[in-house]
Amino acid sequence: MSPSSSPTYVDIPVLISGAGPTGLYAAVLLTQLNIPCRLIERHLDVSPLSKALVIHSRTMEIFALSGIIDKFLERSEAVSDFHAYIGSKHVAVLPALANKESHYTFGLFLEQKRTVDILAEDLEAMGGKVDRGWELVDTKVVEEEASGKSWVETTIRRAIVGTNIRETESHVLGVVEEDPEEQDKKYETQVVKSEYMIATDGGKSAVRHKLNIGFPGRTLDNNIIIFDGHVESDIQFNNITAINGVNDRVMAVFPLHDGQVRIIVDNGHLTPEEHEALKSEDLTVEQFEQLAAACIAPAKFKCIDCSWLTYYRVNERQAENYAYKNRIFLAGDACHVHSPAGGQGMNLGLQDSFNLTWKLALVLHGIAPKTILETYEAERKPVADGIIKLTAKFLERGMAQDFIGRTLRKIAFTIAPYILPYIAPDDNPITMLAIRYHENAINQRSKSQASIDEVYQVGQRARDGELHVVQKQGSEQASVDFSVRLHELLVGPGIFHVLVFASDMLLSSTKTQTIKGVETTNSDTLAKEIETHLTAWRSKWAYKKEGSTTLSLPPLKNASLDAIPHPPKPDILFMVHVLASDLAVPPAQSSEDGPSSVESSTDVLAENKAGEGKIYLDHLGLVHQKYGVLAKHGPGAIVVVRPDSHMGYRVLGAGKTAWDEIDVYFESILVK
């Protein structure tokens, strides 16, 4: 390397290296949370070649919680089904991306480039940008013994002439080895000093290499070819299509937005030496066309043009550590790579960012201790391990070449439509809705609460459900005529949501009782507890407002009712929502003297603003049931939902004892 001048020095709270979906989403979230960050990317332009194509249900949920889902819904195509073929014969329609658990019962088909475009637009709308042309050369954590302070020091460079892309780089998709240097190339350099760094620089991660973080795992011997282009065929590739070829090869076809198709085809197995010798430039369209045509024979197949043709090398690897000295964090492909089967990779990286950024924001705002950052690796590494095993199983079964494997695959294609209706769609691992975290410093079980089923335990994803908006009696609108979803209340990012499950105990405004040793409450007492604790929490812990930036969010259908806290104030860290399964709401009455003077016992809660103890009716108690809380004759419960919509704490009861436990929980995870 031959720098043109001495490096300049730049300070920033968070440096993000790599502007793919994972890095962009991290930058969007940090900017929303009023944390200045710099996002660098070595490429001058967004690649037109999209590795990822599908956004799964759980990712849609976190986009909605971040306030950015609308553009994704507008610019994509909802997809639930795969069309299965044996050769040229259509044999089944498989609901591979469907579920009944989420509001988003489908997947979104959207090329990665368009995902990048949307996230970049959102970042720019908040005053941020991608700093293109800069690549990371070196990074380290500087530890000053005298003061006990530490920070990240990163050297970055930008080519003075041309780009940072070197002629020596491999174009085989999926490789994880570091590319060699190009001699006699001149650069300008900078040294960036940051509190933290997020490495989202892909499978070849320069950060991981520079820090000597191991990347153990295996490279599979599958020889996979990827093609983008226009084709002619007797088979209409208007849907996601999986083909068990008559040549015993497997081919998957995905329709792209511009009339092109993405085709992934199995080309057998290679030895490590043969893999090393592969060069994408040696692969011809004629070779690919011959292989694809053999899969769907006797149907016709012809390539009209080609925009991308490459080999895909499947690696199943995970970084030994996701964090380095609690200052540098790996996310996305930088810390885990796996088979493309199931379309999990980009989604996994986006969810890494969603887990990490709120924790960084709490630390940088001085709200939480630095130790909270240790939960990032503790939570995300087991998730990635599960995804690697899941996609390995998909690939192994989908591309098995032995006689038994081929036979089982044909049987599966044939009988799947008869079996799948009897398999609970909520168990579909592809949707990523079942991902949970286990007990740690921020997922704590109540010591006073009897053991409950794991499906309701801390670390689980907060489930969604329909609620009805309760209006004060005498308002012009009917008491419970408007509905919202629970997830619509969990606005974010960066907010703890306290859900108070009141069961049917609010039928009286003054009466309380004890159920199985657990103290209940009434509406008047509950209203006072909420006001007292919410005021105390907000006075003790809040985000800094200076220079705060938020997305311009579209109006919501229930905004006029103040049913949804929208948009959240930039300094707010806590919100409280009350869910009751039964209410003493009298029927609307009128007389010659005017409306009835009878008041509901919940008027005091119905008057509360959204996020400040407003009450909602859980008709039939279905949401109570999803959280393992008795809807009838029960003591209720309080559940703390973390800023990333996983449950952090839960306790039976909604009386003073339960609220005191919530106080202790917050004091244990936040700075006192």
Side-chain angles (χ1 to χ4, degrees):
M1 181 182 77
S2 303
S4 60
S5 60
S6 299
T8 55
Y9 290 81
V10 181
D11 289 356
I12 193 77
V14 180
L15 176 66
I16 306 172
S17 179
T22 302
L24 274 162
Y25 189 39
V28 167
L29 292 167
L30 289 172
T31 303
Q32 286 180 319
L33 292 166
N34 196 22
I35 299 297
C37 60
R38 182 180 181 184
L39 174 58
I40 62 169
E41 169 56 50
R42 66 192 297 261
H43 290 89
L44 291 175
D45 301 297
V46 178
S47 172
L49 310 175
S50 296
K51 293 189 293 181
L53 298 174
V54 178
I55 296 174
H56 291 302
S57 299
R58 178 54 182 161
T59 303
M60 281 185 269
E61 286 187 348
I62 67 174
F63 280 172
L65 297 170
S66 309
I68 64 171
I69 186 62
D70 289 345
K71 288 181 183 178
F72 289 94
L73 295 174
E74 292 166 3
R75 301 184 193 180
S76 63
E77 181 178 348
V79 58
S80 298
D81 301 330
F82 282 17
H83 287 249
Y85 284 75
I86 295 179
S88 59
K89 182 181 178 181
H90 186 267
V91 294
V93 177
L94 310 177
L97 302 180
N99 76 88
K100 294 182 180 179
E101 164 63 23
S102 174
H103 174 67
Y104 304 101
T105 59
F106 47 84
L108 289 184
F109 193 81
L110 186 72
E111 296 96 317
Q112 181 172 318
K113 180 188 182 301
R114 304 179 84 190
T115 295
V116 166
D117 289 342
I118 292 172
L119 291 170
E121 289 171 14
D122 288 341
L123 182 60
E124 289 170 8
M126 295 185 293
K129 68 172 185 175
V130 180
D131 205 353
R132 293 194 171 276
W134 292 96
E135 71 172 332
L136 184 142
V137 180
D138 197 13
T139 188
K140 60 184 177 181
V141 173
V142 178
E143 297 172 303
E144 196 173 68
E145 290 187 13
S147 65
K149 295 180 179 180
S150 65
W151 61 87
V152 181
E153 193 170 276
T154 305
T155 303
I156 61 176
R157 69 184 182 187
R158 179 167 59 184
I160 294 175
V161 178
T163 72
N164 290 338
I165 310 307
R166 298 180 285 280
E167 294 180 359
T168 52
E169 295 184 20
S170 171
H171 298 287
V172 174
L173 192 63
V175 297
V176 297
E177 293 77 23
E178 195 171 19
D179 290 311
E181 284 287 333
E182 186 173 343
Q183 298 299 316
D184 301 322
K185 198 173 183 73
K186 293 188 177 181
Y187 303 88
E188 61 174 308
T189 62
Q190 288 184 356
V191 176
V192 181
K193 179 182 177 181
S194 60
E195 290 283 333
Y196 297 97
M197 185 173 73
I198 307 175
T200 56
D201 50 347
K204 297 181 183 180
S205 178
V207 175
R208 192 186 66 242
H209 283 291
K210 299 303 179 186
L211 297 177
N212 293 314
I213 296 175
F215 205 37
R218 62 174 183 165
T219 301
L220 304 188
D221 58 3
N222 299 80
N223 183 22
I224 296 174
I225 297 175
I226 294 180
F227 165 91
D228 284 0
H230 292 90
V231 301
E232 284 184 357
S233 177
D234 295 335
I235 298 176
Q236 296 297 312
F237 297 129
N238 298 324
N239 304 285
I240 298 178
T241 304
I243 302 169
N244 187 30
V246 294
N247 60 349
D248 290 323
R249 304 296 189 201
V250 174
M251 187 165 86
V253 186
F254 305 86
L256 304 180
H257 76 281
D258 55 0
Q260 294 190 83
V261 293
R262 157 76 50 81
I263 298 179
I264 301 175
V265 62
D266 167 30
N267 191 29
H269 296 76
L270 297 177
T271 65
E273 293 74 24
E274 289 171 327
H275 264 300
E276 287 294 336
L278 283 181
K279 293 183 179 179
S280 293
E281 49 268 32
D282 294 337
L283 179 61
T284 67
V285 173
E286 290 74 23
Q287 289 173 317
F288 164 76
E289 183 179 85
Q290 183 179 11
L291 178 61
C295 279
I296 65 171
K300 181 181 74 173
F301 182 90
K302 181 176 178 58
C303 296
I304 304 303
D305 57 42
C306 173
S307 59
W308 191 24
L309 183 63
T310 186
Y311 291 110
Y312 186 93
R313 192 165 190 183
V314 180
N315 274 281
E316 294 173 350
R317 299 181 181 277
Q318 184 167 202
E320 290 180 339
N321 304 105
Y322 284 22
Y324 181 80
K325 297 187 177 182
N326 224 27
R327 288 285 180 183
I328 299 174
F329 301 90
L330 308 182
D333 287 356
C335 56
H336 43 66
V337 293
H338 50 79
S339 157
Q344 305 285 286
M346 180 184 72
N347 293 268
L348 188 60
L350 291 165
Q351 292 168 34
D352 287 344
S353 291
F354 197 57
N355 180 285
L356 175 61
T357 48
W358 68 271
K359 298 171 183 177
L360 277 173
L362 289 181
V363 172
L364 287 165
H365 279 283
I367 297 170
K370 296 175 183 177
T371 51
I372 198 173
L373 300 174
E374 295 170 5
T375 65
Y376 169 65
E377 178 176 324
E379 292 185 334
R380 295 306 295 169
K381 198 169 185 181
V383 172
D385 186 57
I387 294 297
I388 291 170
K389 291 176 181 176
L390 175 69
T391 57
K393 186 183 299 182
F394 285 159
L395 187 71
E396 182 180 351
R397 293 177 180 177
M399 294 189 175
Q401 293 299 310
D402 61 287
F403 174 77
I404 294 177
R406 297 196 309 268
T407 303
L408 290 175
R409 187 166 62 236
K410 289 178 181 178
I411 293 173
F413 269 58
T414 304
I415 68 172
Y418 303 101
I419 296 176
L420 288 177
Y422 299 97
I423 299 176
D426 298 343
D427 294 335
N428 183 356
I430 293 178
T431 64
M432 308 180 85
L433 293 167
I435 289 173
R436 73 159 296 186
Y437 304 135
H438 295 280
E439 288 179 71
N440 57 39
I442 54 176
N443 300 328
Q444 302 177 20
R445 297 195 187 212
S446 169
K447 294 180 175 62
S448 68
Q449 181 177 313
S451 178
I452 62 172
D453 291 344
E454 283 299 308
V455 69
Y456 308 124
Q457 197 48 270
V458 294
Q460 295 281 11
R461 158 188 164 271
R463 300 180 69 184
D464 202 0
E466 185 179 51
L467 302 170
H468 294 272
V469 181
V470 180
Q471 296 294 316
K472 182 180 178 181
Q473 290 300 299
S475 66
E476 295 180 0
Q477 292 146 324
S479 298
V480 291
D481 275 359
F482 300 90
S483 65
V484 297
R485 290 183 298 104
L486 176 56
H487 275 200
E488 289 182 280
L489 306 182
L490 306 184
V491 293
I495 296 174
F496 286 96
H497 291 271
V498 178
L499 307 181
V500 183
F501 290 88
S503 184
D504 57 356
M505 68 179 73
L506 302 184
L507 292 172
S508 169
S509 62
T510 58
K511 183 180 178 182
T512 62
Q513 59 181 316
T514 299
I515 299 177
K516 294 182 179 180
V518 179
E519 178 187 4
T520 66
T521 189
N522 58 63
S523 56
D524 289 343
T525 303
L526 179 58
K528 292 175 183 176
E529 291 283 7
I530 291 171
E531 181 180 9
T532 298
H533 289 273
L534 195 55
T535 300
W537 298 337
R538 289 180 174 178
S539 65
K540 189 179 296 185
W541 301 295
Y543 290 113
K544 301 169 187 174
K545 288 194 269 189
E546 295 82 1
S548 59
T549 307
T550 58
L551 278 171
S552 177
L553 301 176
L556 297 176
K557 63 179 181 180
N558 295 305
S560 61
L561 300 175
D562 293 325
I564 296 173
H566 178 87
K569 296 178 181 178
D571 61 329
I572 291 297
L573 182 59
F574 304 96
M575 290 188 180
V576 178
H577 317 280
V578 180
L579 283 59
S581 64
D582 199 357
L583 299 173
V585 180
Q589 302 176 29
S590 61
S591 66
E592 293 180 359
D593 298 326
S596 167
S597 60
V598 178
E599 289 190 359
S600 165
S601 67
T602 58
D603 275 355
V604 65
L605 295 169
E607 287 185 307
N608 285 340
K609 293 181 180 179
E612 299 185 9
K614 188 171 184 62
I615 190 168
Y616 303 85
L617 176 64
D618 174 20
H619 184 54
L620 301 179
L622 297 179
V623 178
H624 278 67
Q625 181 180 337
K626 288 182 177 182
Y627 283 78
V629 182
L630 289 175
K632 298 291 184 183
H633 312 301
I638 303 179
V639 174
V640 178
V641 178
R642 303 169 5 166
D644 57 0
S645 73
H646 284 261
M647 292 187 286
Y649 195 81
R650 60 172 293 144
V651 58
L652 281 179
K656 183 179 184 303
T657 302
W659 284 98
D660 289 344
E661 279 202 34
I662 302 301
D663 278 342
V664 172
Y665 168 71
F666 283 133
E667 288 173 358
S668 73
I669 67 172
L670 303 177
V671 173
K672 296 180 181 180

